[in-house]
Amino acid sequence: MTDETAADVDRRTVLGALAGVGGAALAGCSAFEREADGRTSQVDDETARALATRFAPTLYFDSREPWFPTDPRPYTSEQDGEAVVTGFDAVDGYHERYSEGSPPNPTVFYHAVEYEESPLAVVQFWCYSAFDQFTTNFHWHDWEVLHVFIDTETDETQLYVASSHSRTVPNNEFLDPDPDMIPRILSELGSHSSALSVNDVADHFQRVAAGNLLADITNTAIEGIEDLADVPLAYGLPRDEGSRLPYLIPEYEGEPIYEHERLPSVTRESLIDDDLTVRSFDALTSPPTDLPSRETGLVFRHRERTDEADADIEYDLVPSSDLEHITDFTGPQLSFEFSVPEPVEDAAAGHLTATGTPWSQPRYDNPAADISVPNHRTALAERYDAIGEAAPINTVVSRVTDVIASDDAPENEGLTTTEIDLEAIVLLESEPEAVPTFGGVAIARDVPAGDHRLTVNGAGRAPHSERVTVSDDGTPTAAGVDGEIPLIARNRATKLELGDENGASDLSRVAVEDDFAGRLYESSVGGSDAVYVDRGGAYTTEVRDGDDTIGAYRVNPDPGSESTVRIERPETGKASLAEYVAEVAEETRADIAALGDDDGSDSDDDDDETEREGRGSSNAVTGLERSLAAVVDAAQRAAERARANEHGNTDKQLQNVLERLQRAEERLAEAREDVPDSLSNATGKRLEQANRRSEQARRAEKL
């Protein structure tokens, strides 16, 4: 790419980004629900071949990739008078023909159409793999596609669209690429999701521009989550961006597919390597930490191309019309287990995946159907009448994080969250397949308006599940708490259950807050709920009933026990909140009192006074303990009055609670120098929580 061309592409990219800012009304839009596009017709054979030869992509594969693009025709058979390709025939036949470093029949298929009464044409490049082995949704047969949109009057390339996992995950797209450029595809290991490479570093993916390097996509940023405001919304290539992905061993009828009698040519070595795979997410007690990162392996190029760097494999370029006699790509359904938190026992949701023929898909004859970036569709719609405008689409988005111990908290009494480096898997109950996160970002697009259940699983992590309500106005829905879903390692997870087994309570909403990490979970519920919490946290569990009245419960899991914590019949109203305040104040009073427990020891150490320094021997600490005891007393009295149905006396006692909490805050300020920092921090946060719950109790109508 020349400096002049690079500058021009950069200018157009910037203009496209500015257009994205100006088109803020399109937030959450996509072409999946759009104005109708114009009709297309096939390009004549000679022109189609010329376009295919000109834009035939160079393909970069992972060094551990076992499933390369091939020709499925050797594996066809006849069923009921029609040509089909069965999964068993394709997988076994592929590996029977495979020799190390020489994949069988390397082939890329092309298909070209033009929009009627328009200079816009599209050449598609379809890659077939015999199998898709990924972290979830593995299946027989796999088709990936690159669309290259070209203006036949100006001879300029308009848009690249490279397919990713599913309709719910944004494709990797680039608007206005250099017309003299040869497209490059970076294929994801196992799944073959296609990332683009348009800058000077051919075999790596660049999500955002850095220095003199262009970004490899022009997808617009994520809206709805402040932390992700500068992150382009595209699947990308997570393993090339520093993330880790554990792969699963595909099973059929409870056994690994390499043990099946109809796959004699398939061995364990035929699949992705052991150091990247796990047998199940649930079998791991903690997330794997030693998964290798991506390395470039074989490079494929069109055998007629001579103007590119050397490649390892040369592929044939074949019109997809040569395949259109094949009516189906079949295979027995493969399933994967997906844990969903439930009271008493987690559910195991099995989800099935399948594939079909490209020529039966809308995008085959209308490639614009695959444009997933609204601003890209808008740009083409402004240039060509054949392309319909984007329309609102509903998107659910969240950032998945890890839960870890907080350095500012007492041991096993406080948490914080941090960026995740092992991707998770996300499933909406309304969707047929789960999708992976990318860079910790969870996305589901084209989601019907209404209530849905969103579940997130991860290798070695406890599952997270919540209900999300998606509006019908195209506004992005941020799942989790403020767009964040924290996950917990299984070896630190305890299940918190709320409500009786029959779900007969009036519970309508549940939230869980850690003293230091803040709110970690919130969801509407239907009478009962279950959520995993880290045993190193100290929690306030907020419950709401059908009238939106609030209750609260203190939860301190035993760090050494995996036993479930259960709140059998959660209550709301003044009594519940006052009892919570009494409990958290007594917990804190006991911690403060424990500071001076060693003062009367028989130590003969000359440095005994130094040993006691900062451990609570001052009058200020004694005053803090007494003020907390006064809070306990007032809160207990308020709860007693509430349970006695004395509305007026309850409110008077709650006012006393608030006044005594204020005095406790003053005593804490005086005692901070004599209280260890971690306990001082915890005390301050608990007092803030107690204040909030006391105010809620005072405002509550329900006793």
Side-chain angles (χ1 to χ4, degrees):
M1 183 183 295
T2 66
D3 290 342
E4 181 179 353
T5 303
D8 184 54
V9 173
D10 189 53
R11 179 183 63 82
R12 287 186 291 177
T13 302
V14 170
L15 289 175
L18 291 175
V21 174
L26 288 172
C29 299
S30 167
F32 295 138
E33 295 180 9
R34 60 184 187 276
E35 292 182 359
D37 297 317
R39 295 171 58 88
T40 64
S41 57
Q42 290 198 32
V43 173
D44 66 83
D45 292 346
E46 182 178 353
T47 302
R49 183 72 193 187
L51 288 172
T53 302
R54 173 183 171 187
F55 292 104
T58 302
L59 311 173
Y60 293 80
F61 291 92
D62 194 287
S63 60
R64 300 165 187 269
E65 179 61 61
W67 317 95
F68 294 98
T70 190
D71 188 339
R73 287 175 293 182
Y75 316 123
T76 57
S77 59
E78 186 175 308
Q79 290 185 4
D80 299 324
E82 295 183 331
V84 300
V85 180
T86 72
F88 286 119
D89 289 347
V91 171
D92 195 67
Y94 174 85
H95 283 287
E96 183 181 27
R97 292 166 172 80
Y98 189 98
S99 60
E100 190 64 33
S102 298
N105 306 109
T107 309
V108 173
F109 297 91
Y110 69 89
H111 177 61
V113 298
E114 57 188 353
Y115 286 87
E116 296 179 0
E117 301 180 1
S118 174
L120 186 63
V122 186
V123 58
Q124 304 172 329
F125 298 94
W126 292 88
C127 294
Y128 169 81
S129 301
F131 198 80
D132 179 315
Q133 182 186 354
F134 192 49
T135 187
T136 188
N137 292 333
F138 39 75
H139 51 82
W140 315 97
H141 317 292
D142 190 32
W143 284 102
E144 302 295 335
V145 62
L146 167 68
H147 309 274
V148 180
F149 291 74
I150 313 109
D151 189 308
T152 56
E153 290 182 353
T154 64
D155 204 35
E156 289 195 352
T157 316
Q158 303 297 305
L159 179 67
Y160 293 157
V161 176
S163 60
S164 54
H165 285 276
S166 73
R167 287 168 54 89
T168 63
V169 177
N171 291 323
N172 299 302
E173 304 180 13
F174 196 97
L175 184 67
D176 294 327
D178 178 359
D180 296 324
M181 179 186 180
I182 304 304
R184 297 190 298 259
I185 292 295
L186 309 177
S187 181
E188 183 175 46
L189 175 63
S191 79
H192 315 119
S193 175
S194 300
L196 291 167
S197 170
V198 303
N199 61 31
D200 293 337
V201 182
D203 63 341
H204 289 285
F205 178 74
Q206 187 81 28
R207 184 175 293 272
V208 296
N212 295 325
L213 280 180
L214 285 175
D216 286 320
I217 51 174
T218 55
N219 296 46
T220 48
I222 296 170
E223 298 184 24
I225 299 180
E226 183 177 352
D227 290 351
L228 303 177
D230 297 323
V231 180
L233 183 58
Y235 181 68
L237 193 61
R239 289 185 65 242
D240 198 45
E241 301 178 73
S243 297
R244 299 291 184 267
L245 282 169
Y247 285 69
L248 292 174
I249 300 295
E251 296 186 357
Y252 176 58
E253 295 182 337
E255 298 293 336
I257 62 167
Y258 54 79
E259 294 183 359
H260 199 280
E261 61 182 7
R262 292 183 61 183
L263 299 172
S265 302
V266 179
T267 66
R268 174 62 188 89
E269 290 69 32
S270 302
L271 308 182
I272 291 173
D273 297 346
D274 279 332
D275 56 0
L276 267 170
T277 55
V278 298
R279 287 299 296 266
S280 84
F281 284 2
D282 294 352
L284 300 176
T285 59
S286 61
T289 58
D290 55 352
L291 298 173
S293 57
R294 177 185 178 274
E295 295 180 1
T296 301
L298 295 181
V299 179
F300 283 43
R301 76 172 183 191
H302 180 212
R303 66 175 63 256
E304 297 179 19
R305 190 176 300 289
T306 59
D307 53 355
E308 279 278 283
D310 291 340
D312 303 295
I313 303 292
E314 293 183 334
Y315 64 77
D316 291 324
L317 199 54
V318 176
S320 60
S321 56
D322 289 0
L323 297 177
E324 291 182 10
H325 65 286
I326 299 174
T327 60
D328 204 1
F329 291 83
T330 68
Q333 296 286 1
L334 302 172
S335 64
F336 64 95
E337 295 301 316
F338 200 88
S339 296
V340 180
E342 294 279 6
V344 184
E345 184 176 355
D346 289 353
H351 297 273
L352 308 176
T353 59
T355 189
T357 62
W359 36 97
S360 64
Q361 301 174 24
R363 61 182 175 172
Y364 189 69
D365 290 323
N366 178 23
D370 224 17
I371 301 173
S372 62
V373 180
N375 288 17
H376 292 168
R377 171 170 280 277
T378 297
L380 291 192
E382 290 174 351
R383 301 173 193 178
Y384 306 100
D385 292 339
I387 303 300
E389 285 280 0
I393 187 172
N394 303 323
T395 301
V396 177
V397 59
S398 187
R399 182 168 53 93
V400 179
T401 57
D402 269 331
V403 173
I404 60 173
S406 171
D407 293 337
D408 297 328
E411 185 178 4
N412 293 317
E413 292 187 25
L415 307 168
T416 188
T417 61
T418 186
E419 289 186 4
I420 199 169
D421 65 357
L422 186 74
E423 302 296 351
I425 306 300
V426 182
L427 179 72
L428 270 177
E429 64 182 8
S430 57
E431 297 297 324
E433 58 185 315
V435 295
T437 60
F438 50 91
V441 178
I443 290 287
R445 306 191 73 182
D446 202 16
V447 180
D451 294 331
H452 301 265
R453 186 166 190 174
L454 176 81
T455 302
V456 183
N457 274 206
R461 293 189 173 97
H464 168 100
S465 191
E466 66 178 73
R467 295 185 182 186
V468 295
T469 299
V470 179
S471 64
D472 60 359
D473 59 2
T475 302
T477 299
V481 177
D482 296 329
E484 180 181 0
I485 294 176
L487 292 185
I488 299 161
R490 281 189 173 273
N491 60 0
R492 293 177 56 87
T494 286
K495 185 189 282 188
L496 169 62
E497 298 179 352
L498 298 100
D500 58 39
E501 297 181 11
N502 299 321
S505 71
D506 191 27
L507 203 61
S508 67
R509 196 164 191 85
V510 170
V512 177
E513 298 179 9
D514 173 72
D515 284 354
F516 285 77
R519 187 158 292 201
L520 297 172
Y521 171 83
E522 183 172 7
S523 178
S524 61
V525 300
S528 62
D529 195 20
V531 57
Y532 282 95
V533 296
D534 190 296
R535 291 197 289 274
Y539 303 99
T540 298
T541 301
E542 178 186 283
V543 297
R544 292 176 184 256
D545 60 24
D547 295 324
D548 206 35
T549 303
I550 299 172
Y553 291 84
R554 187 64 170 170
V555 175
N556 291 297
D558 182 351
S561 173
E562 298 180 10
S563 299
T564 296
V565 177
R566 187 173 187 85
I567 301 172
E568 186 75 30
R569 293 180 177 82
E571 297 180 332
T572 59
K574 295 180 184 290
S576 167
L577 291 165
E579 287 169 352
Y580 164 84
V581 172
E583 183 174 356
V584 77
E586 172 56 28
E587 174 189 340
T588 310
R589 185 209 63 77
D591 288 342
I592 295 297
L595 291 176
D597 284 351
D598 293 335
D599 283 356
S601 66
D602 296 328
S603 172
D604 295 327
D605 195 328
D606 291 339
D607 294 328
D608 187 61
E609 184 175 347
T610 303
E611 289 288 326
R612 292 198 303 269
E613 185 176 352
R615 290 167 61 182
S617 59
S618 72
N619 290 333
V621 173
T622 302
L624 174 59
E625 180 192 350
R626 290 174 178 173
S627 68
L628 289 167
V631 173
V632 174
D633 181 68
Q636 288 175 340
R637 289 177 183 275
E640 291 169 0
R641 299 294 184 270
R643 298 231 176 258
N645 293 319
E646 299 176 9
H647 204 291
N649 287 332
T650 300
D651 287 344
K652 289 180 182 179
Q653 284 298 328
L654 287 171
Q655 185 60 43
N656 287 338
V657 171
L658 287 166
E659 292 171 358
R660 294 182 182 188
L661 282 168
Q662 184 176 353
R663 285 197 291 273
E665 290 173 355
E666 294 168 355
R667 297 294 180 268
L668 174 61
E670 296 169 358
R672 279 194 183 275
E673 291 185 0
D674 298 316
V675 176
D677 288 345
S678 60
L679 180 55
S680 177
N681 295 337
T683 301
K685 292 180 181 297
R686 294 173 193 171
L687 289 175
E688 290 175 9
Q689 185 76 251
N691 258 306
R692 179 152 61 100
R693 301 306 172 181
S694 298
E695 288 285 3
Q696 290 171 341
R698 192 169 59 84
R699 293 193 300 267
E701 292 295 328
K702 181 179 177 181
L703 288 169

